Amino acid sequence: MSDSKIIQLNKPVEDPLHDVLQRGAKELLAKAVEAELNALLEQYSTLEVDGKKAIVRNGHLPQRTIQTGLGGIPVKVPKVRDRSGQGIKFNSALVPPYLKRTKAIEEFIPWLYLRGISTGQMQPALESLLGEDAKGLSANTVSRLKQQWEQDYDTWRQRDLSKRRYVYIWADGVYSNVRMDDKLCLLVIIGSDETGRKEVLAVVDGYRESEASWLEVLSQLESQGLTIPPKLAVGDGALGFWKALAKKWPETATQRCWVHKTANVLNKVPKAVQPKVKEALHDIWQAETRDQAYRAFDSTIKRFEAKYARAMECLKKDKASMLAFYDFPAEHWPHIRTTNPIESVFASVRLRTTKSKSCGSRKTTLAMTYKLMTTAEHTWRRLRGFRLLADVVKGIQFKDGERVEQDQQQSVA
């Protein structure tokens, strides 16, 4: 984003549309907090003391201003009185205690930095995005935040993982133009624990997604206590990661990402043919059973190999690992057929890091990427069918997404 565009985006305070939206946001927030309060009152509606309701409204806390993308929004959080002596209080999940601003600022600063906006340009850029309330964010404030995030990143990289167990991991890499004469390759791993919650495990720099770089990432995680191999790793076709995985965690099953594979195959056929090829690929990974997928796979090869040999060779080389998801619960298939859990965030990072030829220092770029991704982490949902992860951890076999009964497992063994 150029300086001229930043200035053009800045809206005056008296903008009538801005005022309407701000008033609407204030009313919406007030109604949402009121709904939270009513839910609490309903929960304890049968609790009484001397024939009277034990939990009742009791005024409001002092008004606060929450900084949002529309500027400052005033909010008054209600209080309750507990006559039962149980210490029941009302805490809004939307406006928790001590919240003074939304996480939008902590998202926007890394975003702008990774798009090449310098520290000195941050204030006008943030004002155009967050309104007049961003004026307090001086260049010195931004610099202090950056330094703090660099320290947070260093601490985060050394955190203890010994008490955690990750069932699935997703891996990907992206290149960032940190300086005109230097490229930074960001290597990212996201993991899903036994409860189905996803979190960022690693954000480090490497050399061209090489085997040595990925091996260093896995070794770092191991040194932090992650010694139990995941059951499945999902990623694109980059050989470096898979070679490192085979050395470090050879027992981990591998699943190639269908989004990456589809893109790679389609790049090798004319645009006019791409819709037909894409539909054929869709029939493979959407098949209900592995046998049906193999038949669709063979049919696709037979149909297009004569004219588009390179594309079909690209498809054939990862045949087994393209269909590994059939050995896991069907509820998990939407999550483990692709690297979407990481790609959605990584696409955001990729967009921001490739727009500028000079984003800044390597250390700060890593810290900003870490901050951007860990902020997004709070919005991720748990895996569908997360309770089945316990079966996966136990080693219970699945065939075509369905659990194999014990007597069948013994016969297979």
Side-chain angles (χ1 to χ4, degrees):
M1 183 182 292
S2 65
D3 292 344
S4 61
K5 288 184 178 179
I6 291 171
I7 295 172
Q8 291 170 8
L9 284 172
N10 202 6
K11 298 290 185 182
V13 178
E14 62 272 12
D15 183 349
L17 177 59
H18 178 275
D19 293 341
V20 169
L21 292 174
Q22 194 174 48
R23 285 197 299 271
K26 177 183 177 181
E27 293 174 4
L28 184 62
L29 183 58
K31 289 179 180 179
V33 172
E34 185 70 17
E36 288 184 305
L37 174 63
N38 289 333
L40 178 75
L41 295 175
E42 178 65 25
Q43 180 181 352
Y44 294 103
S45 60
T46 59
L47 184 62
E48 295 184 352
V49 175
D50 297 331
K52 297 180 180 180
K53 290 186 177 182
I55 310 300
V56 295
R57 295 170 180 265
N58 188 32
H60 293 80
L61 294 170
Q63 179 173 294
R64 288 186 288 156
T65 298
I66 306 299
Q67 187 166 307
T68 72
L70 291 168
I73 303 295
V75 59
K76 294 179 70 175
V77 178
K79 298 188 299 181
V80 298
R81 179 184 176 190
D82 177 15
R83 296 192 180 107
S84 69
Q86 298 182 34
I88 297 172
K89 297 181 180 180
F90 171 65
N91 288 316
S92 170
L94 293 171
V95 190
Y98 315 116
L99 177 66
K100 295 181 179 178
R101 63 187 182 193
T102 65
K103 293 177 182 176
I105 292 176
E106 294 189 352
E107 293 174 356
F108 277 131
I109 290 178
W111 173 42
L112 293 170
Y113 179 85
L114 293 172
R115 290 195 65 164
I117 303 297
S118 68
T119 300
Q121 297 171 321
M122 283 287 178
Q123 185 170 322
L126 286 167
E127 285 181 30
S128 70
L129 295 167
L130 300 174
E132 290 293 306
D133 287 334
K135 280 191 172 182
L137 293 169
S138 64
N140 288 336
T141 301
V142 174
S143 294
R144 286 196 297 271
L145 281 172
K146 285 162 58 178
Q147 292 174 3
Q148 181 60 54
W149 291 340
E150 288 175 10
Q151 295 173 10
D152 292 344
Y153 171 71
D154 290 338
T155 302
W156 176 79
R157 284 198 65 191
Q158 303 299 322
R159 70 199 185 285
D160 182 17
L161 297 175
S162 61
K163 297 180 180 179
R164 306 298 303 276
R165 172 69 188 270
Y166 298 94
V167 186
Y168 302 138
I169 62 170
W170 297 263
D172 205 347
V174 65
Y175 289 91
S176 166
N177 292 313
V178 180
R179 301 184 186 88
M180 293 186 67
D181 59 346
D182 184 19
K183 272 194 172 184
L184 180 69
C185 181
L186 300 170
L187 306 180
V188 173
I189 293 180
I190 288 177
S192 171
D193 65 14
E194 296 170 284
T195 70
R197 291 182 173 86
K198 299 187 290 289
E199 64 179 272
V200 184
L201 297 183
V203 179
V204 300
D205 56 335
Y207 178 72
R208 299 179 181 274
E209 297 188 73
S210 66
E211 175 186 347
S213 294
W214 278 114
L215 193 59
E216 186 176 341
V217 176
L218 299 181
S219 297
Q220 172 65 29
L221 291 176
E222 193 174 59
S223 70
Q224 292 174 237
L226 205 163
T227 56
I228 302 177
K231 292 293 185 178
L232 180 72
V234 187
D236 67 7
L239 294 178
F241 173 70
W242 302 113
K243 288 181 179 179
L245 186 72
K247 287 184 176 180
K248 183 60 65 175
W249 294 327
E251 56 270 63
T252 299
T254 60
Q255 170 66 49
R256 297 297 197 276
C257 171
W258 271 99
V259 170
H260 284 90
K261 176 59 70 175
T262 298
N264 291 339
V265 171
L266 294 182
N267 284 338
K268 295 175 175 57
V269 300
K271 287 188 176 180
V273 185
Q274 288 181 0
K276 293 181 180 180
V277 177
K278 185 176 182 179
E279 183 180 6
L281 297 177
H282 185 271
D283 290 340
I284 299 173
W285 60 268
Q286 282 288 336
E288 292 188 10
T289 69
R290 179 183 263 107
D291 288 342
Q292 292 175 6
Y294 274 134
R295 287 197 291 271
F297 204 107
D298 295 340
S299 175
T300 301
I301 299 296
K302 183 178 179 180
R303 181 181 175 187
F304 297 106
E305 188 170 31
K307 290 185 177 180
Y308 312 110
R310 288 180 62 247
M312 294 303 101
E313 187 63 32
C314 175
L315 177 61
K316 286 190 293 185
K317 70 177 183 179
D318 294 321
K319 185 175 182 179
S321 58
M322 296 302 299
L323 305 176
F325 64 87
Y326 283 104
D327 293 328
F328 295 86
E331 289 84 349
H332 299 170
W333 290 359
H335 305 282
I336 62 176
R337 283 186 295 219
T338 74
T339 55
N340 278 347
I342 188 172
E343 191 66 22
S344 58
V345 181
F346 226 2
S348 176
V349 175
R350 181 178 289 111
L351 171 66
R352 292 153 174 73
T353 56
T354 56
K355 291 295 184 182
S356 172
K357 289 186 177 180
S358 181
C359 288
S361 73
R362 163 196 164 276
K363 184 176 182 180
T364 307
T365 299
L366 278 169
M368 290 297 191
T369 305
Y370 145 76
K371 188 62 183 178
L372 199 64
M373 298 193 72
T374 52
T375 299
E377 181 182 286
H378 298 297
T379 66
W380 296 343
R381 296 181 179 180
R382 286 204 287 185
L383 265 66
R384 176 189 170 195
F386 62 87
R387 290 182 178 85
L388 292 168
L389 289 167
D391 290 343
V392 176
V393 170
K394 292 176 184 176
I396 293 174
Q397 296 181 26
F398 287 80
K399 181 179 180 182
D400 297 329
E402 299 293 334
R403 176 174 173 156
V404 177
E405 296 305 322
Q406 189 172 2
D407 55 343
Q408 292 178 290
Q409 293 190 42
Q410 291 174 350
S411 64
V412 170

